[in-house]
Amino acid sequence: MKQIDINIKIGVCRLEELSADEQTLIATAIEATKNSYSPYSHFSVGAALLLENGEMVMGANQENAAYPSGLCAERSAVFAAQSTRPDQPIKALAIAARNGGGLMKQPIVPCGACRQVVLEIEDRYKQAVRILLYGTEGVYVIDTIKDLLPLQFVGKSMK
């Protein structure tokens, strides 16, 4: 059997090492955690998108007693942006989370469904989305969702 090696690149840095725009995007994601409705998990996730035109769009996780009816922060931000500004590609996505103890020390990563949605955005606009995953002890910097989803299923996969 032949094996395939898949390599991914993830940068790790301090918040201060990022550009002013990226620091603002992360601050917006942190602020978005306050908009979370998470009475069941008590795990608040905030997301912020930077659009091509410089606008930022926030999203926060929204839970529901019927669990499949909730929505992650990343998808709520992407769907809000796509619903109101479909002509604007997404340049960057920042994600932050908090629980009862405050902001998470280590960055959290998007779930599989959110990775798929961001992949479709990259495929739709033919450009990578830079991803910033915030933790108080450091930020993960990922240049494309393909590094978090190395085997992709997109429209051309169905042809």
Side-chain angles (χ1 to χ4, degrees):
M1 168 178 23
K2 179 181 175 182
Q3 291 189 356
I4 300 171
D5 287 325
I6 297 175
N7 298 301
I8 63 171
K9 293 186 283 184
I10 297 177
V12 181
C13 67
R14 293 184 323 274
L15 182 63
E16 304 79 41
E17 295 178 82
L18 297 172
S19 72
D21 285 345
E22 290 174 328
Q23 289 181 42
T24 299
L25 190 64
I26 288 174
T28 303
I30 291 169
E31 185 66 24
T33 65
K34 297 174 184 174
N35 297 339
S36 168
Y37 177 69
S38 48
Y40 307 104
S41 71
H42 306 287
F43 189 70
S44 302
V45 181
L49 303 174
L50 176 61
L51 304 181
E52 188 75 37
N53 66 4
E55 288 183 76
M56 288 190 202
V57 177
M58 293 171 51
N61 61 318
Q62 304 296 310
E63 293 181 351
N64 191 286
Y67 284 118
S69 300
L71 191 61
C72 297
E74 300 91 314
R75 283 182 284 153
S76 75
V78 169
F79 295 157
Q82 294 294 286
S83 295
T84 59
R85 298 164 191 88
D87 61 325
Q88 291 299 311
I90 297 169
K91 289 179 56 174
L93 162 65
I95 303 167
R98 69 174 72 239
N99 61 18
L103 289 169
M104 303 302 294
K105 290 181 182 181
Q106 295 298 315
I108 64 159
V109 297
C111 72
C114 289
R115 293 176 195 205
Q116 180 66 34
V117 166
V118 176
L119 175 65
E120 188 89 10
I121 292 299
E122 284 191 359
D123 192 54
R124 177 179 180 180
Y125 294 102
K126 307 294 186 246
Q127 69 182 48
V129 174
R130 186 169 169 90
I131 302 165
L132 306 169
L133 306 176
Y134 175 78
T136 59
E137 294 182 352
V139 179
Y140 292 171
V141 180
I142 301 150
D143 291 327
T144 172
I145 195 66
K146 292 173 183 167
D147 282 335
L148 291 180
L149 192 61
L151 301 174
Q152 298 105 38
F153 179 74
V154 292
K156 65 184 173 196
S157 303
M158 295 185 285
K159 296 183 180 188

